[in-house]
Structure formats: structure tokens, C-alpha cells
Amino acid sequence: MLDYGYPQVTSTENLKSFVYNEPIVVTPVVNTGQMVNPKTASASAVHKPVINSVNASGKKTNSTNQKNEIFVDILERLNVLFSNNGYVLNSTIDGCIQMKSYLAGNPELRLALNEDLVVGREKSSAAPYGAVVLDDINFHESVNLNEFEYAKTLQFRPPDGEFVVLNYRLTGDFKTPFRIFPAIEETAPKTMEISVLVRAEMPENHFGANVSLELPLPKCTAAASCSLVTSPRTTGAHAEYSAQDRKVVWTMKKLPGNSEQTMRIKVTLNQPCTSSIRREIGPIGMNFEIPMYNVSNLQIKYLRIAENMPGYTPYRWVRYVTQSSSYICRL
């Protein structure tokens, strides 16, 4: 018997009263080696260090395929609120730079950010045009900030595994990657037409992945049908009304930049439309992910080994990801 995960009673005589199933005799397997996929690692592989294939000088110590590498993600989550005419009412960016280190010897790294980076909204008036202005920023405890003020360079020794180098926040006016323009028209006492236009305002060489929009409809909705007008480069577009959830779900696997997509919904109600029924429509919620793109323009200029270590040639992988956290449009 267990109490919050700690064994309290282990006597078999006391436990017999709690066991009700009949015992089943299991036939022993003579050769268990034939049951295991030869390409499958043993259970002890989970405890194997990820950097045991290289030493402090970066040289491989065995014949495995493991690499001496580090992964860097610049991740930004957007919180945006639009009015029903497409204007931004509130917008914030919560971002971070996180790393996953598989480096041998725990070398010191130097990471350089934008030279025109300004921290503090009160300093934005003196910042040059086009500068990256962040409201606030906080760093991992291992980061050395001696060169940050004048060179925007961080020095640190990355611990093994995943960790966040810094967190930052930006509020105010920035160019949103998508804008939403809804419109509602009452065509009859019990019918209405809703159109939702989504404009991708990022460059053409970027795209939104796994895009979805949800539009709640009134409780008195009897039926709803959807039609789409999409650009040629859009893939996997689909819209459907869920009667159980009383909402329309519009999904797109790929939404290219510098394009517009439109969804039209014909809604039939059980009763005449009133102002209270119209207030049950919306708001529109949007979810997406944009690979290799960030809104704040915070950039990693370089990531280097601070120490002179001959033969130490790690692989460095840098990725930019923008995601929606709360992307809402009122109706």
C-alpha cells in the first residue's frame, strides 16, 4: 500500500485481502534476444551522456555518429487584440532565447545581439531609426554581462541540456504578421452572412504553418455553411461548422506571406436576429506558427567559442520561431 507514493505496507499477508484477480501463470521465454529489434537501444541508453563521443578538445573518442553541437531557438509568442475594423488595440511580444547544448568540455561561448539594441522604453526616443527596442530583459544566472552595455555581447558557459539564456518583452506598436477583418450582414430576419478576411502581411518568402481560426456562433444557430476564397499558394485550406461546439473552424496547413484569404459563412437562426444574439458571435481566435521569422527583429549576429581550442569545431544551429499566444479579433 502506498501513501503519497511512499510504501506503507509490504507484508503479503496484509495485501492478500486487496488482491481479487486470479493468478495467471506466464510461460517463460527461453530466448528473449529474438524479441528485441536489433536497432533498438537498451534501456540503459537513456542514462548515456550526450557528449561522451567527444573530449574537451572536440575530438571524437569512439566511432559513434554523435556530434558536438548546440541548438539555439529565438522564440516569440504574440498577444494581439484587434478591433472589428482590423486595428490593433493591444499588442505584446513575450520572447526568449533558449539553447540545447551537446558541447564537450563545457566551453565558454560568446553570443552577440543587434548592435542597435535598446532596453527600456524610456530610452526609445534617443534610439536610432530602425533600432530594436525592448521593454525589459532578464538573463540566466550564468550569463556574464560585462560587454553587454557597449557591445551587446553575452558570455556564458552553457550547462548540459536545455536552458533559457534570456527572456524579453516588447509592448506597443509593431507590425503584426496577420491582420483579421470581419464583417457581418443580416440578409433576412433569420439569416446572416459573415465574412472573415485574413491578410498575411509578412514577406512572401515566409509563411504561417498550421494556421487555424475559430469563430463561435450564437446558441440559436440552426445551420451554417462555409465557402473559401484562397490564394493559389495556400495549401490544406478547410472550413467546417461544428454544431456540437457551435463554432466554425477554419484551418490552413500553409498560409503564404503577402496574400489574402477569405471565408464566407451563411448562418441560419432559429429565431429573428437581435442585438443580444449578435453579441454571441465571436470573438475570432487565431493560432499559427511562423518558422524562421520574428516580429521584434532581434537577431543573433554570431555565436562563437570564446576560448582558443584547436580542433574544437562544434555545429551551431539557429532557428527563429514566431507563435500565437493570444491572437484575438473582436466582432
Side-chain angles (χ1 to χ4, degrees), residues 140-158:
H140 189 270
E141 57 184 7
S142 64
V143 176
N144 186 339
L145 300 175
N146 290 340
E147 299 182 20
F148 180 73
E149 283 298 326
Y150 64 90
K152 299 301 182 287
T153 303
L154 311 177
Q155 297 185 23
F156 55 93
R157 294 184 182 273

Side-chain angles (χ1 to χ4, degrees), residues 72 74 97 99 109-115 147 151-156 299-306 316 318 320:
V72 185
I74 298 90
I97 297 179
M99 291 188 176
L109 301 180
R110 292 173 59 88
L111 186 149
L113 303 175
N114 309 53
E115 295 180 356
E147 299 182 20
K152 299 301 182 287
T153 303
L154 311 177
Q155 297 185 23
F156 55 93
Q299 304 286 326
I300 292 181
K301 296 303 181 182
Y302 64 78
L303 176 63
R304 300 173 183 169
I305 305 296
R316 287 156 288 194
V318 179
Y320 296 84

